[in-house]
Amino acid sequence: MKPVIIGDATLYLGDCMDILPTLGKVDAVITDPPYGIGIAKNPVRQMHEKMDWDASVPDTSLIDACIACGDIALLWGGNYFDLPPSQCFFVWDKMQPQEFSLAMCEQAWTNKKGPAKIYKQSVLSYRKEHPTQKPVELMAWCIEQLGNPQTILDPFMGSGTTGVAAIQLGRKFIGIEREPKYFEIACQRIEQAAAQGKLFAPEPVKQHQEPLI
């Protein structure tokens, strides 16, 4: 399948099961697969079209194939998948009140070594074009925490947030999305990010570990 090339981004419209075997290894896989909780039909997401892409979790063999594509990997929703034990979990604190009816945070599994990390940003602080869209700043933070990899792959690209963060950090990006609607949105957002040029100046990642408590 011929990809769409936008600057340093290579984008594929199709199923990652078909496209992953055609790709070489990358520095990092950073992705947010479907969790299988039917969130795309959740009435809270009334502004979004009701679709079935989150009806079930991806097959374990597909998740394993995604992880194998990178020297390091990070999967949001890692608590929904059958993954090896991990020392380092990333947590997104959505800064919601205790009585909030939906999740107050989300977890990401990673095979990175080191202590767990927490990122805080309100879930109401940005506009969503996809029902499970993450903040660009969160995905840029993930890239920095993984040691600033130069080439990043997102097999479940959605509306392209990981790609936007990668381009804004001056990284190369490969994205795969099977829904034409979200693929078009991702292309538009990444094209805009490429036109703006590098925005984020990555922070140096500290090499020492905090003392364990």
Side-chain angles (χ1 to χ4, degrees):
M1 180 174 294
K2 188 176 181 180
V4 173
I5 309 295
I6 303 172
D8 287 331
T10 303
L11 311 178
Y12 293 88
L13 173 60
D15 195 314
C16 61
M17 292 182 67
D18 300 323
I19 296 168
L20 285 177
T22 70
L23 304 178
K25 194 140 186 173
V26 298
D27 296 325
V29 173
I30 301 177
T31 193
D32 188 16
Y35 301 167
I37 58 176
I39 201 166
K41 291 187 175 182
N42 191 309
V44 174
R45 271 76 177 177
Q46 292 179 6
M47 64 175 289
H48 299 283
E49 183 180 356
K50 305 300 185 290
M51 302 173 73
D52 291 327
W53 56 262
D54 191 39
S56 61
V57 297
D59 187 80
T60 299
S61 62
L62 177 55
I63 294 295
D64 291 343
C66 292
I67 294 171
C69 282
D71 292 333
I72 196 165
L74 185 150
L75 278 72
W76 283 99
N79 47 306
Y80 290 100
F81 308 115
D82 184 15
L83 294 167
S86 173
Q87 179 189 28
C88 180
F89 257 79
F90 288 6
V91 177
W92 171 29
D93 178 354
K94 297 182 175 182
M95 303 179 69
Q96 296 288 4
Q98 289 288 336
E99 63 273 15
F100 187 56
S101 61
L102 300 178
M104 296 174 63
C105 68
E106 290 190 34
Q107 300 178 55
W109 175 93
T110 176
N111 51 13
K112 175 183 182 291
K113 302 297 183 183
K117 299 290 184 181
I118 297 177
Y119 177 87
K120 295 185 178 183
Q121 181 175 344
S122 171
V123 72
L124 302 177
S125 65
Y126 64 101
R127 180 175 179 272
K128 290 185 178 182
E129 298 183 80
H130 185 288
T132 63
Q133 184 172 316
K134 301 290 190 289
V136 172
E137 296 86 354
L138 169 63
M139 304 315 292
W141 177 81
C142 290
I143 293 170
E144 293 169 354
Q145 292 299 318
L146 294 185
N148 293 309
Q150 296 301 303
T151 303
I152 297 153
L153 166 65
D154 187 348
F156 301 92
M157 180 172 61
S159 58
T161 301
T162 304
V164 171
I167 295 303
Q168 290 182 347
L169 283 167
R171 304 292 183 257
K172 294 181 179 179
F173 177 72
I174 302 170
I176 306 170
E177 173 56 40
R178 70 180 186 182
E179 297 290 345
K181 172 184 176 178
Y182 294 128
F183 181 80
E184 183 62 29
I185 292 172
C187 288
Q188 293 172 1
R189 295 180 71 210
I190 291 171
E191 185 172 17
Q192 183 179 21
Q196 291 175 334
K198 185 175 177 180
L199 296 183
F200 291 124
E203 299 177 359
V205 177
K206 296 180 180 179
Q207 296 302 314
H208 72 276
Q209 293 186 4
E210 292 86 347
L212 298 177
I213 297 176

